[in-house]
């Protein structure tokens, strides 16, 4: 083969291997070491790792060190003949898997690859780990077999990686939907004591501990926090503008435009003025904030009250947000509460909670519930305190 033919043969194979080819693969294609050397001297190949060449025209691939190390584990076999989990090639794992998944900022000075049985390597920057992997614990990233995000996190905990770094990986994986906290918690619980938690700590406790240590928060926590802030904003809005609650209680289904116009009229504003309202919620402003507040209060009031056991657990825990929301609700005009009750958006449990709160704090009384509501109250039992549950 002349030089052009040699290069064409190598290019065909390297095209499906990120522009890379091993010495053993080149031999399978009919090229010897001398020919590879001459192509390198001509600038057509670049020796990027021991026994691994890059076609210069291909450009430098991302994560070159990982790809070269993975090819070297079974140098005579082409990448397309290695299914994920191939026993001779292994699976990229631990911190190297974080690099490929682009999770966190955990240090990864070595290339870490998990193999099913013990092997050795002369490469100083390649760390082979021995462990079995189930097929569902393997995914493919940029053509490489890689442990899934959940398995990667479990491996890091088993290897005693820094808790703050692992917490950052968990938070980012959860935000991107690569893991679910509940599923992960089942697998990481055995490592709770290793990270300073008590013998009774759960997997969820460990996840929360690591994420906090990383200075991060989970998406689920952020959504819960935003929902609570949105509900508090809705309560205060109704306290300041009771006509809005009355309108909500008696409103018919209407278009978004009609709802905007009605809201503006109730506030005595021009529609454009709604956009200049103070921000009551971290993700909404202006006109959208007012409508969002109305939807929030409607949804919260329709939620069922907690069970007595759950209620007592909540009451034993300090919750400034819930306390502030209840204090504001206590000062709503009785006519507003009556409108909400009659329209069915004020649950019997919430009604009785407000009635009790009003009795202990002022002389105002809510109108008694009708017969159908009394029957429902009997079913709730001690749930009459559920007005403090804003979920």
């Amino acid at each position: 083969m002349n030089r052009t033919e040699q290069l064409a043969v190598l290019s065909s194979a390297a095209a499906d291997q990120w522009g890379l080819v091993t010495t053993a693969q080149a031999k399978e294609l009919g090229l010897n070491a001398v020919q590879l050397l001459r192509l390198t001297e001509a600038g057509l190949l670049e020796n990027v790792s021991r026994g691994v060449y890059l076609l210069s025209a291909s450009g430098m691939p991302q994560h070159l060190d990982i790809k070269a190390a993975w090819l070297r584990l079974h140098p005579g076999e082409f990448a397309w003949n290695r299914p994920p989990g191939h026993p001779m090639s292994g699976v990229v794992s631990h911190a190297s898997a974080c690099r490929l998944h682009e999770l966190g900022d955990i240090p990864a000075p070595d290339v870490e690859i998990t193999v099913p049985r013990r092997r050795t390597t002369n490469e100083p920057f390649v760390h082979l780990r021995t462990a079995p992997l189930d097929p569902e614990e393997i995914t493919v990233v940029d053509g490489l077999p890689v442990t899934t995000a959940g398995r990667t996190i479990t491996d890091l905990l088993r290897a005693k990686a820094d808790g703050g770094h692992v917490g950052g990986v968990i938070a980012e994986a959860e935000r991107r939907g690569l893991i679910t906290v509940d599923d992960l918690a089942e697998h990481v619980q055995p490592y709770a004591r290793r990270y300073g938690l008590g013998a009774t700590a759960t997997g969820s406790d460990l996840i929360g501990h690591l994420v906090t240590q990383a200075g991060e928060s989970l998406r689920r926590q952020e959504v819960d926090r935003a929902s609570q802030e949105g509900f508090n904003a809705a309560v205060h809005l109704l306290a300041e503008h009771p006509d809005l609650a009355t309108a909500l209680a008696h409103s018919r289904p209407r278009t978004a435009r009609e709802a905007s116009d009605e809201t503006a009229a109730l506030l005595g504003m021009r529609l454009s003025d709604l956009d200049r309202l103070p921000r009551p919620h971290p993700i909404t402003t202006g006109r959208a904030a007012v409508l969002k507040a109305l939807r929030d209060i409607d949804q919260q009031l329709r939620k069922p009250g907690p069970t007595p056991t759950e209620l007592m657990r909540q009451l034993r825990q300090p919750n400034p947000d819930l306390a502030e929301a209840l204090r504001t609700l206590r000062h709503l005009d009785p006519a507003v509460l009556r409108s909400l009750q009659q329209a069915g958006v004020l649950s019997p449990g919430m009604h009785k909670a407000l009635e009790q709160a009003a009795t202990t704090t002022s002389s105002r009384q809510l109108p008694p519930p009708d017969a159908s509501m009394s029957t429902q109250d009997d079913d709730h039992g001690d749930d009459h305190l559920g007005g403090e549950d804003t979920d």
Side-chain angles (χ1 to χ4, degrees):
M1 288 188 292
N2 59 35
R3 180 174 297 180
T4 301
E5 293 171 333
Q6 294 169 9
L7 193 61
V9 169
L10 292 177
S11 297
S12 178
D16 293 323
Q17 295 188 156
W18 318 285
L20 302 173
V21 63
T22 68
T23 301
Q25 291 169 348
K27 184 177 180 180
E28 289 290 326
L29 296 171
L31 280 77
N32 57 41
V34 173
Q35 291 170 320
L36 292 176
L37 176 61
R38 289 175 178 170
L39 290 172
T40 302
E41 292 174 341
L44 300 175
L45 291 181
E46 181 181 352
N47 191 351
V48 294
S49 183
R50 186 174 61 85
V52 180
Y53 292 86
L54 170 70
L55 272 73
S56 301
S58 300
M60 192 67 67
Q62 190 176 21
H63 306 304
L64 172 62
D65 55 338
I66 297 177
K67 291 169 179 173
W70 182 77
L71 286 173
R72 281 199 308 268
L73 281 180
H74 198 192
E77 191 67 80
F78 293 96
W80 56 84
N81 289 330
R82 307 183 195 181
H86 191 285
M88 295 299 293
S89 296
V91 178
V92 181
S93 61
H94 296 76
S96 295
C98 291
R99 287 178 57 192
L100 290 175
H101 285 297
E102 297 183 347
L103 292 173
D105 57 358
I106 190 167
D110 297 335
V111 174
E112 296 179 272
I113 299 177
T114 293
V115 291
R117 56 179 179 269
R118 184 173 178 81
R119 293 183 59 181
T120 59
T121 178
N122 294 326
E123 297 299 319
F125 300 110
V126 176
H127 187 176
L128 297 181
R129 298 181 178 272
T130 307
L133 289 172
D134 293 331
E136 61 268 21
E137 295 176 319
I138 304 172
T139 187
V140 176
V141 178
D142 194 14
L144 284 167
V146 187
T147 52
T148 61
R151 174 63 194 235
T152 299
I153 293 167
T154 304
D155 285 340
L156 292 173
L157 295 176
R158 185 182 296 114
K160 301 181 181 179
D162 175 74
H165 284 123
V166 178
V169 172
I170 293 173
E172 190 163 350
E174 192 259 354
R175 283 196 295 268
R176 288 169 49 189
L178 299 179
I179 61 168
T180 62
V181 173
D182 292 338
D183 288 343
L184 181 63
E186 296 180 7
H187 295 91
V188 303
Q189 191 279 331
Y191 308 106
R193 296 190 67 180
R194 183 176 296 182
Y195 285 86
L197 300 184
T200 61
T202 65
S204 296
D205 293 334
L206 175 59
I207 291 172
H209 172 72
L210 296 174
V211 170
T212 300
Q213 188 175 345
E216 296 277 0
S217 61
L218 297 175
R219 178 178 56 182
R220 185 166 66 180
Q221 295 171 334
E222 294 170 354
V223 170
D224 290 344
R225 188 183 308 116
S227 297
Q228 180 62 57
E229 291 173 356
F231 176 68
N232 293 341
V235 168
H236 287 287
L237 182 67
L238 288 179
E240 294 172 3
H241 303 282
D243 286 344
L244 289 175
T246 304
L248 173 65
H250 297 286
S251 62
R252 58 176 175 79
R254 57 197 188 278
T255 66
R257 176 69 184 184
E258 290 173 333
S260 298
D261 291 342
E262 183 176 328
T263 300
L266 287 169
L267 291 173
M269 302 178 180
R270 296 188 307 274
L271 187 59
S272 60
D273 292 336
L274 287 175
D275 293 322
R276 292 193 288 274
L277 285 176
R279 174 179 293 206
H281 188 278
I283 59 173
T284 56
T285 58
R287 178 191 321 164
V290 176
L291 299 178
K292 174 75 166 59
L294 294 177
R295 287 193 298 270
D296 283 348
I297 193 67
D298 184 37
Q299 292 171 2
Q300 292 292 339
L301 291 176
R302 288 179 184 271
K303 285 186 178 180
T307 63
T309 301
E310 175 65 14
L311 178 64
M312 294 308 297
R313 184 188 68 79
Q314 292 179 7
L315 291 178
R316 282 194 291 267
Q317 297 179 355
N319 192 325
D321 291 333
L322 293 179
E324 176 62 24
L326 182 56
R327 279 195 297 271
T328 304
L329 283 171
R330 288 171 182 168
H331 293 87
L332 288 178
D333 190 284
V336 173
L337 297 173
R338 186 181 301 109
S339 297
L340 292 171
Q341 174 197 345
Q342 292 172 349
V345 298
L346 185 61
S347 66
M350 178 69 81
H351 173 87
K352 294 192 70 174
L354 293 175
E355 179 180 294
Q356 183 184 40
T359 300
T360 57
T361 59
S362 71
S363 60
R364 291 186 300 172
Q365 296 289 329
L366 294 177
D370 56 30
S372 63
M373 297 178 74
S374 298
T375 301
Q376 195 168 354
D377 285 344
D378 293 338
D379 294 337
H380 281 283
D382 290 338
D383 275 0
H384 65 277
L385 291 176
E388 200 164 339
D389 177 26
T390 61
D391 280 335

